[in-house]
């Protein structure tokens, strides 16, 4: 995972909000712990602290999941976190951000072929970590989509979904909330609507050849927004905040959603936001179809 990123954090053991050292966004490279590397230097500084401290090393791991029609890349497939409490207690946590290990995806659809291709890979990774640490993993808590166990995730097909249309009930709101938390509150209470039942036209946002998300506009009403590509991880939301601000500016100019989409193609490029990949918008039959695209690929 040479293109992964890491964070090294030191907090007071008796007051975890008391941050003594924080080094985020460390690029790993091909030899992340080589002398003089960013990660090695950050760990050395963290280990210099004495007393009751909590050392956290968090690594965002890109990777690929398999589907019958091809292989897809996620910029944050896993997060591996190592915590050392007072130099004595060691806790290692593995989190995943993909539904490729599940028999039922996050839209409540069975996916036996995807599960068969990917679940053994997760089980093998957990076996390797268990062998390294000398103990079996402790499964995390169940959520609305999955029930972890020592080899990956349980097969929940016999139990049925915990919620009907859990994606529509929760995920859209969660994604919108995360995006909106990254931009200042609008001085004007009026903006483009964030949902629509009409078809949408959209522009693909890319950076360094990777798709981050899609800026969209409704064909039939006053709605427009940004759909982050789930597999792009945090970068999709960082970029999305900027595109939402541009849409807010377009609304302030009195532009219709489709006119706003055309206006965006004429805006000067901004490296941090990514760039528009096509000159002419594409069309999706619905916002749900576009979100399906952003959530799966």
């Amino acid at each position: 995972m040479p293109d992964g990123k890491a964070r090294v954090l030191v907090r007071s053991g008796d007051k975890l909000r008391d941050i003594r050292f924080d080094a985020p966004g460390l690029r790993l490279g091909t030899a992340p712990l080589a002398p003089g590397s960013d990660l090695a230097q950050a760990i050395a500084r963290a280990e210099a602290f004495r007393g009751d401290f909590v050392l956290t090393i968090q690594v965002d791991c890109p990777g690929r999941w398999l589907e019958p029609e091809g292989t897809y890349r996620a910029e944050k497939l896993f997060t591996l976190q190592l915590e050392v409490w007072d130099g004595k207690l060691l806790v290692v946590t593995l989190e995943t951000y993909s539904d490729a290990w599940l028999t039922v995806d996050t839209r409540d659809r069975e996916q036996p072929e995807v599960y068969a291709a990917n679940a053994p890979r997760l089980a093998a990774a957990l076996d390797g970590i268990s062998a390294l640490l000398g103990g079996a993993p402790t499964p995390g808590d169940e959520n609305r989509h999955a029930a972890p166990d020592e080899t990956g995730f349980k097969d929940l097909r016999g139990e049925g979904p915990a919620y009907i249309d859990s994606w529509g009930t929760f995920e859209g709101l969660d994604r919108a909330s995360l995006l909106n938390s990254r931009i200042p509150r609008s001085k004007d209470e009026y903006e483009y609507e964030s949902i629509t039942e009409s078809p949408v036209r959209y522009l693909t946002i890319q950076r360094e050849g990777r798709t981050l998300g899609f800026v969209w506009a409704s064909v039939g009403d006053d709605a427009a927004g940004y759909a982050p590509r789930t597999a792009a991880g945090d970068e999709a939301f960082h970029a999305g905040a900027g595109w939402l601000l541009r849409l807010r500016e377009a609304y302030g100019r009195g532009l219709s959603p489709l006119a706003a989409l055309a206006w965006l193609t004429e805006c000067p490029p901004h490296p941090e936001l990514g760039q528009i990949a096509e000159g002419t918008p594409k069309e999706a039959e619905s916002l749900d179809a576009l979100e399906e695209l952003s959530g799966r690929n």
Side-chain angles (χ1 to χ4, degrees), residues 156-242:
L156 300 181
R157 285 177 290 185
E159 301 179 13
Y163 297 89
I164 301 300
D165 187 21
S166 56
W167 178 278
T169 304
F170 299 106
E171 298 301 330
L173 293 174
D174 288 348
R175 284 151 63 103
S177 177
L178 186 55
L179 276 169
N180 289 329
S181 70
R182 296 170 183 259
I183 60 177
R185 189 169 182 175
S186 175
K187 296 179 181 179
D188 184 346
E189 60 180 283
Y190 299 105
E191 296 187 75
Y192 295 118
E193 296 293 332
S194 59
I195 58 174
T196 179
E197 298 297 327
S198 299
V200 298
R201 293 178 187 164
Y202 66 92
L203 298 167
T204 305
I205 306 302
Q206 293 186 338
R207 184 168 62 211
E208 298 177 354
R210 298 199 305 266
T211 297
L212 300 180
F214 307 93
V215 181
W216 60 269
S218 169
V219 172
D221 54 32
D222 196 34
Y226 172 85
R229 178 175 172 255
T230 302
D234 293 337
E235 291 181 80
F237 289 88
H238 288 314

Side-chain angles (χ1 to χ4, degrees), residues 203 246 259-269 276:
L203 298 167
R246 284 189 168 182
L261 215 58
W263 176 74
L264 288 176
T265 64
E266 301 173 356
C267 289
I276 296 172

Side-chain angles (χ1 to χ4, degrees), residues 131-151:
L132 180 64
L133 298 178
T138 300
D141 295 332
E142 296 186 16
N143 60 35
R144 58 181 174 260
H145 296 303
D149 62 18
E150 293 184 357
T151 62

Side-chain angles (χ1 to χ4, degrees), residues 9-33:
L9 179 67
V10 177
R11 296 170 292 168
S12 297
D14 58 350
K15 192 176 182 181
L16 294 180
R17 292 186 179 182
D18 181 10
I19 297 175
R20 298 301 183 88
F21 175 72
D22 190 5
L26 302 171
R27 295 190 176 274
L28 297 182
T30 55
L33 293 177

